[in-house]
Amino acid sequence: MATAETRQRDWYVVDAEGKTLGRLATQIADALRGKRKPEYTPHCDTGDFVVVVNAAKIRVTGNKLNDKLYHRHSGYPGGLRSRTLAEMLDRRPEEVVRIAVKGMLPRNRLARQQLTKLKVYAGPEHPHDAQQPRELEVDA
């Protein structure tokens, strides 16, 4: 059983270019939760840091670019705003990956803490070279 003192956090980098969004998000969520490790403990944060690059170049199947909608609400009457996946990829491609991974995590305080270990960048550059991230093997 892992504890906060015995856990080991690694840094991984994932190149999202040409990868399918949902399949990529499930494997990133598993790495954030620590399910890839033998000492996985459900109530303890044993996951790793994940850096995603080229988030603007993800791929989706079917007609999701035009059909998939992202909603947000301002809190005021009539304040519902919607954007398609194509518009989100143009404006904020980092949010597309972050929202997909967030949907694959449980809805609790631990998952919100684990989501902070996800770093997403639209282009190929990231400022985490000092952590010496390794390449994460993803099947997409």
Side-chain angles (χ1 to χ4, degrees):
M1 184 134 87
T3 62
E5 294 82 27
T6 61
R7 69 178 173 220
Q8 178 186 0
R9 296 241 175 102
D10 299 323
W11 282 75
Y12 291 103
V13 64
V14 176
D15 188 5
E17 184 174 0
K19 302 284 191 327
T20 305
L21 177 62
R23 293 174 187 271
L24 179 69
T26 56
Q27 294 173 10
I28 292 172
D30 284 349
L32 288 174
R33 292 188 69 196
K35 292 190 105 180
R36 303 166 61 95
K37 295 181 175 184
E39 64 269 5
Y40 167 70
T41 308
H43 64 274
C44 186
D45 187 7
T46 58
D48 299 319
F49 287 86
V50 179
V51 179
V52 180
V53 293
N54 289 326
K57 298 178 182 177
I58 60 162
R59 193 173 60 84
V60 291
T61 59
N63 202 21
K64 291 187 187 89
L65 280 176
N66 300 320
D67 291 347
K68 184 171 176 59
L69 295 175
Y70 290 89
H71 303 288
R72 66 186 201 283
H73 200 283
S74 67
Y76 289 97
L80 182 66
R81 302 287 181 255
S82 299
R83 285 187 184 158
T84 64
L85 177 59
E87 291 170 346
M88 285 289 282
L89 285 175
D90 285 341
R91 294 175 189 227
R92 300 174 70 191
E94 303 92 2
E95 279 298 300
V96 172
V97 175
R98 193 189 70 77
I99 291 171
V101 172
K102 181 182 177 185
M104 310 232 173
L105 293 173
R107 278 74 173 162
N108 55 27
R109 287 176 289 192
L110 184 60
R112 287 189 289 275
Q113 178 185 351
Q114 290 167 345
L115 192 63
T116 61
K117 297 183 299 186
L118 176 66
K119 316 294 182 189
V120 185
Y121 300 99
E125 301 297 322
H126 65 85
H128 304 287
D129 288 328
Q131 283 76 26
Q132 299 171 350
R134 293 180 287 157
E135 190 74 27
L136 183 66
E137 298 297 326
V138 293
D139 308 326

